[in-house]
Amino acid sequence: MIPLLLLEDEARIASFVTRGLAAEGYDVTCVATGAEALAAGLSGEHAVIVLDVMVPDISGMEVCERLRAGGVSAPILMLTARDADEDIVEGLERGADDYLAKPFAFDVLLARLSALLRRGNGTVPGQPAESAVIGALTLDRGRRQARLNDNDLGLTRLEFDVLWLFVTNPDRVHSRERILSHAWGADADPLTNVVDVYMARLRKKLAQPDAPKLVTVRGVGYRLDAGYDREP
């Protein structure tokens, strides 16, 4: 688990991001005020820090500056609705490593966090794949096409996006929050049942002998079973 500090005072966003990051392997400490973020950040226990700018008492900008003054070297990502050039410049000048404007896609947040952590390790991110294959199932990202035994499955754009997540991460469990954000964006209502509806539609289209199976992991989410021979 990667220890992460999140400063976010909007309860809905805080809950969504915390659950999504937890499903991705982050141990999230979520606070709602600048004072709490400053105290937690100065402990030096977090590998990466995400700060909302517009919060009660101490702004995220000031928290960032104070953390740097206090010797905190962990990468800091500013997360805010203030996306004017001068705001971005101010955040970077006060010690932030990156800046992400709201509304944001959860996948973009994950990619930014991964890049910050990789940067600290001196590694370079690779190029995104354009195709993926599992057994007889092939996905072409450029054409947004899924084929099973060379037969087009006829997926919609959203169905393809959901299946792409699973095919590129076989046997990995994905939370509903992760799936929802990946295909519908961070502004999607976390209480909606749209994920379950689309999973049912994909299962129907993958109900063929040579297709991998979408398996429900109770209380957690779903995974793609690449073994093909186990029942969902």
Side-chain angles (χ1 to χ4, degrees):
M1 299 290 283
I2 302 170
L4 178 146
L5 173 62
L6 170 65
L7 169 60
E8 175 57 66
D9 67 322
E10 295 184 43
R12 178 174 173 272
I13 296 177
S15 176
F16 182 86
V17 173
T18 297
R19 286 182 294 174
L21 289 176
E24 294 298 317
Y26 289 90
D27 181 9
V28 181
T29 300
C30 183
V31 297
T33 69
E36 292 175 304
L38 184 58
L42 288 173
S43 70
E45 298 175 352
H46 302 94
V48 63
I49 299 171
V50 179
L51 300 175
D52 188 12
V53 170
M54 302 177 68
V55 295
D57 62 343
I58 307 173
S59 74
M61 294 282 194
E62 188 171 348
V63 170
C64 178
E65 189 170 35
R66 291 193 190 183
L67 289 176
R68 293 305 188 216
V72 176
S73 60
I76 297 177
L77 172 67
M78 305 303 294
L79 184 65
T80 177
R82 292 170 48 181
D83 60 351
D85 289 346
E86 54 267 29
D87 294 320
I88 297 174
V89 170
E90 181 185 358
L92 296 175
E93 288 183 342
R94 295 179 76 167
D97 297 280
D98 202 353
Y99 204 104
L100 182 60
K102 297 178 181 178
F104 60 90
F106 189 70
D107 275 357
V108 174
L109 174 61
L110 286 177
R112 295 288 184 89
L113 292 174
S114 295
L116 288 174
L117 291 168
R118 284 196 300 267
R119 196 176 304 161
N121 292 330
T123 59
V124 179
Q127 296 297 319
E130 290 301 319
S131 64
V133 179
I134 290 186
L137 178 65
T138 302
L139 269 64
D140 185 324
R141 195 177 192 183
R143 297 179 179 179
R144 304 188 73 79
Q145 184 181 60
R147 303 182 70 85
L148 183 65
N149 289 321
D150 210 32
N151 295 315
D152 190 350
L153 290 178
L155 301 186
T156 67
R157 181 185 68 82
L158 285 171
E159 287 172 346
F160 181 92
D161 287 343
V162 173
L163 188 57
W164 176 266
L165 176 65
F166 284 94
V167 171
T168 53
N169 298 274
D171 288 319
R172 179 176 180 177
V173 178
H174 296 282
S175 67
R176 284 174 173 81
E177 290 83 7
R178 170 80 166 102
I179 300 167
L180 188 66
S181 181
H182 173 81
W184 285 270
D187 285 339
D189 183 357
L191 300 180
T192 181
N193 70 339
V194 67
V195 169
D196 300 308
V197 171
Y198 271 76
M199 295 303 293
R201 288 165 62 170
L202 283 172
R203 277 174 166 163
K204 185 175 181 180
K205 293 186 177 183
L206 291 172
Q208 302 181 42
D210 293 336
K213 308 298 181 184
L214 288 167
V215 180
T216 300
V217 180
R218 292 188 181 277
V220 181
Y222 298 93
R223 67 178 173 84
L224 185 70
D225 189 338
Y228 318 134
D229 57 351
R230 294 187 290 272
E231 291 298 321

